[in-house]
Amino acid sequence: MNDAAPAPTPAPAPRRARVRAPELVGKGGWLNTGGKELTLADLRGRITILDFWTFCCINCLHVLDELRELEEKHRDTVVIIGVHSPKFVHEADHAAVVDAVERYEVHHPVLDDPELTTWKQYAVRAWPTLVVIDPEGYVVAQHAGEGHAHAIARLVEELEAEHEAKGTLRRGDGPYVAPEPVATDLRFPGKALALPSGNLLVSDSTRHQLVELAPDGESVVRRVGGGERGFGPDAFSEPQGLALLPDGRVVVADTVNHALRVLDPADGSVETVAGTGRQWWQGSPTSGPALEVDLSSPWDVAWWRGRVWIAMAGVHQLWTWDPEAGTVQVAAGTTNEGLVDGPAAEAWFAQPSGLAAAGDDRLWVADSETSALRWVEPDGDGYAVRTAVGTGLFDFGHRDGDAAQALLQHPLGVTALPDGSVAVCDTYNHALRRYDPASGQVSTLATDLREPSDAVLVGEDIVVVESARHRLTRLRLPEEAVRVDAVAHRTQRAATEVAPGTLRLDVVFQAPAGQKLDTRYGPSTRLLVSSTPPELLAAGEGPGTDLFRELVLNPEVTEGVLHVSAMAASCDDDPANEYPACHVHQQDWGVPVVVAEGGAARLPLVLAGLDA
């Protein structure tokens, strides 16, 4: 006789749409697997999260950080697979992907997909996109953009319980195999600064340190920071930009900590002067006491016109920090990603990553995702943004000559030169370029550099940070430019064929399980649509609160880019909880389109969920 209580009946598994997952295919092969080729069959029994990313994309880097906690907590049931899907030509270079995986501490297998084969099979339209595959090999969710880690964590727990009960969950070690570490004094350094002592200070980004070098650029004088990712007085997280303050201290863009720190070279002490350690999201304050306002991936800093200007790569803006007042505020940019000039408050940037002041008249900006060189200048009581080189998100290459037709490829650094021109670290072209405002000409100063990310003047020389060669390289500024064969590129991402006339835009959003749209203070969704060229849309551009829109295409324009920015806020759906946790889901899409008979009449963009 058995006196034990009967086992409780398991709750029915949640009903969810399931689509068989396509195989994982990439011409570049696999990284972080010890040489093993993985298939979906190898992953059966595990919950698999595909992270479609490209290493140029700041939003993709944010998602890598969002996933770290999930990756650690569920390491015996979850396998994250990075599917590297390049935007730029350089990102299709396998060696560059290998570098990026180490640079950003990607601790899971990565499929190198230079021809976007798997991207197309999964109908991905945006970087980053996350796809969840259940232990039986079915796609159960798709999320574009940032801010979905909480929803995926909830889904993982549901899938663990469901497939544990079905007997289809397989626990154990994942397929990740760590590569052998390499010993070098620097590891993917980001930015450099000449100190008054004559020494050079370098942000050693992957080692989470600052390194002071002797004037020879090689001998290590000291290291600042313990070398582990952190946010304490002796810790940084992928630091980048450096700028000298008038009092001799150095302000540091502590990028992944979303903060500004200040180093006192005299005693090596570090203090936080701006940021909370949290990432800025839409709706957060954009000005106020510096230590109370969230920042988003500050990538470079420069002292200009009495303030520290910040290249806020994570939100496509420039901000300022006022050391005297102890405040920060937005100085230029709308958070929309693109290339739009004009008054600072109306301008669009795309991941600004390098700054250099040229007197009080001009602040140069390396606007990386538009492969552009831009500048900020005083304009009446405010500022204006102008473009010297670059046309938009999808045109890039290596072409010298007149600035109107010259091309760069994802530049990360700018350096003001004594003659009024500017040197550009043309990162993905492995070159140092020069733009001369007096002649309007672009030339090439040096080639055969490896991902140059910054440069600093030292006497008559220019010292270049060769990030992917883990060193500083000293060059004599040449009197004549290097000649290279001109080359122009467009992104390998295929344009979407759309039918002429009316195009239905649908942003698909399904609130995560246990949550609902937060409508307590009005509409909880937002949609902003524009186009390049602006003439592409005859109607339908502008802001709104519905996640759908009828767009009317101009019959006289046959191709262009649709810019779509969507946001949705959802909160925990528990009436007993007086203070439910709320989450913002957001993504910007740049969708290249070609107008053609027989093209699609509907354009679905998945923010969260699956398109029915």
Side-chain angles (χ1 to χ4, degrees):
M1 182 177 177
N2 187 350
D3 293 334
T9 303
R15 295 180 60 86
R16 56 174 68 91
R18 300 203 309 171
V19 178
R20 177 63 70 180
E23 191 53 82
L24 305 177
V25 179
K27 188 176 180 180
W30 288 87
L31 289 74
N32 284 355
T33 63
K36 179 180 174 60
E37 300 281 321
L38 295 182
T39 67
L40 286 176
D42 297 323
L43 303 172
R44 192 64 56 86
R46 311 297 289 274
I47 300 162
T48 302
I49 300 172
L50 304 182
D51 176 14
F52 289 87
W53 70 298
T54 187
F55 64 77
C56 73
C57 164
I58 190 66
N59 310 92
C60 299
L61 303 186
H62 289 168
V63 168
L64 284 176
D65 291 318
E66 288 179 7
L67 293 175
R68 294 187 199 279
E69 182 179 349
L70 177 73
E71 194 168 25
E72 178 61 31
K73 183 177 179 180
H74 298 275
R75 61 171 51 254
D76 66 330
T77 60
V78 171
V79 175
I80 296 176
I81 302 289
V83 183
H84 189 268
S85 313
K87 170 186 173 180
F88 290 99
V89 169
H90 170 59
E91 293 175 301
D93 176 357
H94 182 72
V97 180
V98 173
D99 284 346
V101 167
E102 180 189 350
R103 181 195 298 266
Y104 298 116
E105 297 183 310
V106 180
H107 292 166
H108 50 249
V110 173
L111 174 65
D112 182 9
D113 183 20
E115 297 176 347
L116 303 182
T117 304
T118 296
W119 164 288
K120 294 170 186 172
Q121 287 295 311
Y122 280 83
V124 175
R125 294 184 183 273
W127 297 279
T129 290
L130 298 170
V131 175
V132 182
I133 301 173
D134 73 12
E136 294 179 287
Y138 290 91
V139 174
V140 294
Q142 181 171 327
H143 301 266
E146 306 176 48
H148 301 294
H150 67 283
I152 292 176
R154 174 76 176 260
L155 176 58
V156 164
E157 291 173 354
E158 292 178 356
L159 291 171
E160 285 177 340
E162 176 184 343
H163 288 274
E164 191 94 77
K166 291 174 66 176
T168 49
L169 185 70
R170 176 168 57 88
R171 295 180 180 270
D173 293 335
Y176 170 68
V177 178
E180 290 293 324
V182 182
T184 52
D185 285 335
L186 301 173
R187 205 69 193 161
F188 298 105
K191 305 288 186 180
L193 176 69
L195 296 172
S197 65
N199 289 346
L200 295 163
L201 187 66
V202 184
S203 55
D204 197 19
S205 302
T206 297
R207 295 231 175 96
H208 314 296
Q209 292 180 320
L210 307 180
V211 179
E212 186 175 344
L213 301 175
D216 62 9
E218 297 180 4
S219 305
V220 175
V221 175
R222 64 172 165 172
R223 296 180 182 273
V224 181
E228 298 292 331
R229 188 188 299 272
F231 193 30
D234 190 40
F236 299 93
S237 188
E238 298 181 31
Q240 287 284 342
L242 306 166
L244 196 64
L245 296 173
D247 62 9
R249 296 184 302 159
V250 177
V251 61
V252 182
D254 196 3
T255 304
V256 177
N257 277 329
H258 310 295
L260 297 188
R261 320 290 292 282
V262 166
L263 165 70
D264 188 340
D267 58 13
S269 63
V270 176
E271 66 172 316
T272 302
V273 295
T276 63
R278 297 184 300 270
Q279 183 184 338
W280 185 94
W281 290 95
Q282 290 287 353
S284 300
T286 56
S287 64
L291 291 169
E292 298 176 14
V293 177
D294 299 339
L295 308 181
S296 183
S297 295
W299 205 274
D300 202 8
V301 282
W303 179 260
W304 189 56
R305 297 177 67 85
R307 297 185 179 187
V308 170
W309 286 66
I310 310 164
M312 202 72 78
V315 286
H316 317 299
Q317 291 179 313
L318 304 182
W319 288 40
T320 60
W321 168 55
D322 184 341
E324 291 290 328
T327 57
V328 292
Q329 66 179 27
V330 173
T334 65
T335 75
N336 295 319
E337 184 179 13
L339 195 156
V340 176
D341 289 342
E346 301 171 14
W348 292 21
F349 294 93
Q351 213 169 300
S353 301
L355 299 174
D360 282 343
D361 298 330
R362 189 169 289 195
L363 179 70
W364 292 104
V365 183
D367 202 28
S368 62
E369 280 293 285
T370 52
S371 297
L373 172 65
R374 308 176 72 185
W375 79 86
V376 181
E377 63 184 9
D379 183 35
D381 294 332
Y383 294 95
V385 177
R386 314 291 184 209
T387 297
V389 182
T391 57
L393 285 166
F394 298 107
D395 294 295
F396 51 90
H398 191 149
R399 187 162 63 199
D400 288 335
D402 186 75
Q405 55 85 50
L407 293 172
L408 309 169
Q409 186 180 179
H410 197 80
L412 291 179
V414 284
T415 307
L417 299 179
D419 63 357
S421 66
V422 59
V424 181
C425 286
D426 194 5
T427 308
Y428 288 1
N429 280 327
H430 309 300
L432 187 67
R433 312 284 294 282
R434 174 178 178 264
Y435 167 67
D436 182 2
S439 66
Q441 296 292 300
V442 174
S443 57
T444 299
L445 297 177
T447 58
D448 193 33
L449 302 169
R450 186 69 182 171
E451 290 193 19
S453 56
D454 196 23
V456 59
L457 288 173
V458 178
E460 295 182 356
D461 295 341
I462 188 164
V463 176
V464 180
V465 179
E466 280 197 89
S467 188
R469 281 202 178 110
H470 320 293
R471 71 186 189 191
L472 304 187
T473 298
R474 185 181 295 263
L475 303 173
R476 178 58 57 94
L477 281 172
E479 294 183 6
E480 292 191 8
V482 177
R483 292 191 176 275
V484 297
D485 293 330
V487 61
H489 299 292
R490 283 185 65 82
T491 178
Q492 290 193 44
R493 179 181 174 186
T496 299
E497 290 194 354
V498 295
T502 300
L503 176 67
R504 165 80 178 205
L505 171 66
D506 283 316
V507 174
V508 177
F509 177 76
Q510 297 158 4
Q515 296 183 26
K516 64 178 182 179
L517 289 174
D518 178 20
T519 57
R520 291 171 298 169
Y521 308 108
S524 60
T525 56
R526 187 191 70 175
L527 181 65
L528 177 67
V529 180
S530 63
S531 65
T532 302
E535 296 77 20
L536 175 65
L537 287 178
E541 74 281 359
T545 57
D546 293 324
L547 292 181
F548 60 88
R549 186 81 58 86
E550 297 287 339
L551 308 179
V552 179
L553 302 175
N554 184 342
E556 298 180 3
V557 180
T558 58
E559 64 178 320
V561 179
L562 291 174
H563 303 282
V564 180
S565 177
M567 184 192 78
S570 62
C571 296
D572 293 342
D573 187 13
D574 182 358
N577 187 352
E578 186 177 356
Y579 303 104
C582 296
H583 308 275
V584 174
H585 316 256
Q586 64 184 52
Q587 171 63 7
D588 296 335
W589 291 267
V591 184
V593 296
V594 173
V595 181
E597 294 293 340
R602 175 176 177 265
L603 177 61
L605 301 175
V606 177
L607 179 59
L610 292 174
D611 181 30

